[in-house]
Amino acid sequence: MKHLSFTTATIAAFLSATALWAGTAEDIAARAASFEAAFNSQDAAAVAAHYSEDGVILAPDTARIDGRAAIRTLWQAYVDAGVTDLELTTETLIDMGGTANEIGAFRLSVPDGNGGMVEARGKYVIIWKADAEGVWHLHWDIWNSSP
Amino acid sequence: MKHLSFTTATIAAFLSATALWAGTAEDIAARAASFEAAFNSQDAAAVAAHYSEDGVILAPDTARIDGRAAIRTLWQAYVDAGVTDLELTTETLIDMGGTANEIGAFRLSVPDGNGGMVEARGKYVIIWKADAEGVWHLHWDIWNSSP
């Protein structure tokens, strides 16, 4: 019984470790989906919570932004400007162990100034970083527009 | 003598390994300086040679660019447009071992359409990657404009 119990625990630990290892892409995809949902519900604080405390954003036509408080201010400005319907699509994800490098594409809807909305498209690089509990955060985030 | 010889070789190997480890930032700085020089001498082929064979550029208002041939075409277009005086400044460089993540700022001179030049400024993320010989190449390169 003792031996069986030990074996079961070992198998459980092995399966758990395997799941963690295999799950980086899935974990990051879930965080990206949660990020989209936070923005699309106009919750800039929830968007900012997806970044690391010392996260960096390099946004077009904007000075470098450092830290979660400034990151929240930027996203609040986009919410206030009426930007919505953010959709992120991962194209390349490289697991570096503790960090991960992603290339992706995005779409969003922007007010056209005449009461309508226009679609804007772009591409991005995100450096993801896992915290001490293994939760992934956007650590560096840079994007630009696509034709 | 035999023992002394072995000791000398060991010390030499240690010093060499230390130099390699400590030198990542310097090696990348040298490559960045060489990259600048290539562009500022209007040599798009030499610029492209600083990228990995499967390098990626995400340039503003341009579709994603994959591979050294397409990268050369993009840089040739900038040369042909009269862009010059590229200056790169590293702000943050994280050595990931085999790859390195950089945040930086750039300046360049762009024709103003009236016979003069205007300065343009921006910021970038570069993912550097060392090849089998330890030579660093730009692997991912994305930038956007600064105010």
Side-chain angles (χ1 to χ4, degrees), chain A residues 24-113:
Chain A
T24 293
E26 284 135 30
D27 289 349
I28 288 177
R31 288 290 281 172
S34 165
F35 178 96
E36 280 177 348
F39 181 71
N40 292 333
S41 60
Q42 306 192 297
D43 187 345
V47 172
H50 289 76
Y51 288 83
S52 57
E53 273 294 347
D54 57 346
V56 177
I57 289 184
L58 304 181
D61 307 321
T62 305
R64 170 179 168 157
I65 289 167
D66 280 272
R68 202 180 271 166
I71 285 169
R72 175 178 173 170
T73 300
L74 178 75
W75 283 102
Q76 187 64 55
Y78 291 130
V79 168
D80 293 346
V83 179
T84 187
D85 298 329
L86 176 65
E87 186 184 312
L88 306 170
T89 304
T90 300
E91 295 179 355
T92 309
L93 183 70
I94 311 291
D95 186 356
M96 303 297 295
T99 68
N101 300 342
E102 179 186 2
I103 293 178
F106 68 88
R107 299 173 177 219
L108 38 76
S109 294
V110 183
D112 66 3

Side-chain angles (χ1 to χ4, degrees), chain A residues 8 11 15 17 24 46 48 56 58 65 74 81 87 98 100 115 127 133 144-145:
Chain A
T8 306
I11 290 170
L15 289 175
T24 293
V56 177
L58 304 181
I65 289 167
L74 178 75
E87 186 184 312
I127 310 297
E133 286 75 42
N144 60 38
S145 59

Side-chain angles (χ1 to χ4, degrees), chain A residues 56 58-64 91-92 94 96 99 101-104 123-125 127 140 142-147, chain B residues 56 58-64 91-92 94 96 99 101-104 123-125 127 140 142-147:
Chain A
V56 177
L58 304 181
D61 307 321
T62 305
R64 170 179 168 157
E91 295 179 355
T92 309
I94 311 291
M96 303 297 295
T99 68
N101 300 342
E102 179 186 2
I103 293 178
K123 51 208 178 301
Y124 63 83
V125 167
I127 310 297
W140 293 1
I142 178 171
W143 66 88
N144 60 38
S145 59
S146 292
Chain B
V56 178
L58 304 181
D61 308 320
T62 304
R64 170 178 169 157
E91 295 180 353
T92 310
I94 312 291
M96 303 297 296
T99 70
N101 300 341
E102 179 185 1
I103 292 177
K123 52 206 178 301
Y124 63 84
V125 167
I127 310 297
W140 294 0
I142 178 170
W143 67 87
N144 59 40
S145 59
S146 292

